[in-house]
């Protein structure tokens, strides 16, 4: 919709229809005024379709405020989209909930044929419907590709997996897991995948080690380039003063050394050194570089309050997800609170 909006007037009929549905028109004017200037809009019709699916008045208003361009689609387009999403939704209740959360994804109808072909392809591949709905909402652009392109990319990944020594029996599980963790792999090209795999071979990673990295990096490896990976590896080698073989082991232990760019690694390293942590400690537990400086500071503060000195101990207690850290923290806390002498314990007297 690239018409010159300056000289156009708002469509009174559209405004009235939206007003009757209790839609906040000021909000639309502020965010997407161009929608209100179009000559043709299907406000009542789109609202009716949403109501048929079980949306109440508030939900309808909420959807149209967040995605006003919905009213520019014909009822036929929206009904087709509704039937398409029902292929992977359990029922209309789930569907309306998804539309309310992700209206832009649902009301993008230009790629209908590609969306349909891709949904059928993903189902054939063995992806569960709940995973496909997650893709539709959080990674909708992968459905805009022709299904053939996505198919070719999956075949490249499957070939690479087998060439690296992966077994036929595990290949399907591996592919489905990789896609579930990172559907954006499909936005790459087969050439990128090939170049990245060759980069590891040139750096003397064995096929088994490359497979290990692919699993650990959850497919993010294909969003990197040989140049950025090379820079990150060189940076780590200079910081940790290690040989090529030692560097390789560090990368296998902590793929973040490959994944993060030099500025990110630099900032995180600096943050750790400021806290009095040594390079030797970081080399021992490189996974600590997966955490942002803010998270590290927060965790050190919590541990220090328990009298735990991070400078002399291991960095293992800082590591892991929020849940992992809370478990470690709890263990250290209970150790500290446990009495040294238990007055009710039986005394062991030797004869």
């Amino acid at each position: 919709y690239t018409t010159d909006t300056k000289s156009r007037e708002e469509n009174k009929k559209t405004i009235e229809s939206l007003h009757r549905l209790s839609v906040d028109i000021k909000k639309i004017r502020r965010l997407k005024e161009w929608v209100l200037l179009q000559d043709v809009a299907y406000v009542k019709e789109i609202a009716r379709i949403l109501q048929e699916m079980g949306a109440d008045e508030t939900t309808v208003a909420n959807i149209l405020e967040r995605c006003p361009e919905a009213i520019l689609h014909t009822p036929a387009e929206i009904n087709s989209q509704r039937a398409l999403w029902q292929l992977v939704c359990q029922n209309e209740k789930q569907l309306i909930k998804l539309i309310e959360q992700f209206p832009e994804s649902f009301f993008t109808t230009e790629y209908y044929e590609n969306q349909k072909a891709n949904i059928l392809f993903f189902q054939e591949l063995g992806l569960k419907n709940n995973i496909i709905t997650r893709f539709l909402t959080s990674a909708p652009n992968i459905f805009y590709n022709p299904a053939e392109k996505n198919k070719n990319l999956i075949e490249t990944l499957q070939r690479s997996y087998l060439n690296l020594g992966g077994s036929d029996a595990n290949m399907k599980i591996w592919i489905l897991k990789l896609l579930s963790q990172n559907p954006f792999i499909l936005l790459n090209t087969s050439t990128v995948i090939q170049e990245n795999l060759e980069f590891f071979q040139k750096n003397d990673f064995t096929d088994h080690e490359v497979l290990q990295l692919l699993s650990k990096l959850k497919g993010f490896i294909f969003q990197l380039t040989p140049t950025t990976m090379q820079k990150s590896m060189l940076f780590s080698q200079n910081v940790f003063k290690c040989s090529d073989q030692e560097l390789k082991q560090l990368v296998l232990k902590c793929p973040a050394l490959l994944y993060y760019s030099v500025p990110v690694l630099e900032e995180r390293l600096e943050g750790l050194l400021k806290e009095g942590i040594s390079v030797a400690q970081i080399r021992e537990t490189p996974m600590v570089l997966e955490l942002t400086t803010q998270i590290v500071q927060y965790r050190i503060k919590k541990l220090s309050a328990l009298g735990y000195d991070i400078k002399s101990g291991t960095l293992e207690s800082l590591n892991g997800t929020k849940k992992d850290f809370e478990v470690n923290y709890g263990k250290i806390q209970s150790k500290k609170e446990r009495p040294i002498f238990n007055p009710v314990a039986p005394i062991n007297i030797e004869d």
Side-chain angles (χ1 to χ4, degrees), residues 130-141:
N130 62 330
I131 302 283
I132 301 172
T133 51
R134 203 180 80 216
F135 288 1
L136 276 168
T137 52
S138 58
N141 36 353

Side-chain angles (χ1 to χ4, degrees), residues 73-91:
H73 293 291
T74 66
E77 285 173 333
I78 298 311
N79 276 322
S80 297
Q81 199 72 342
R82 174 185 179 179
L84 185 64
W85 282 48
Q86 278 177 321
L87 292 174
V88 286
C89 284
Q90 294 164 356
N91 48 43

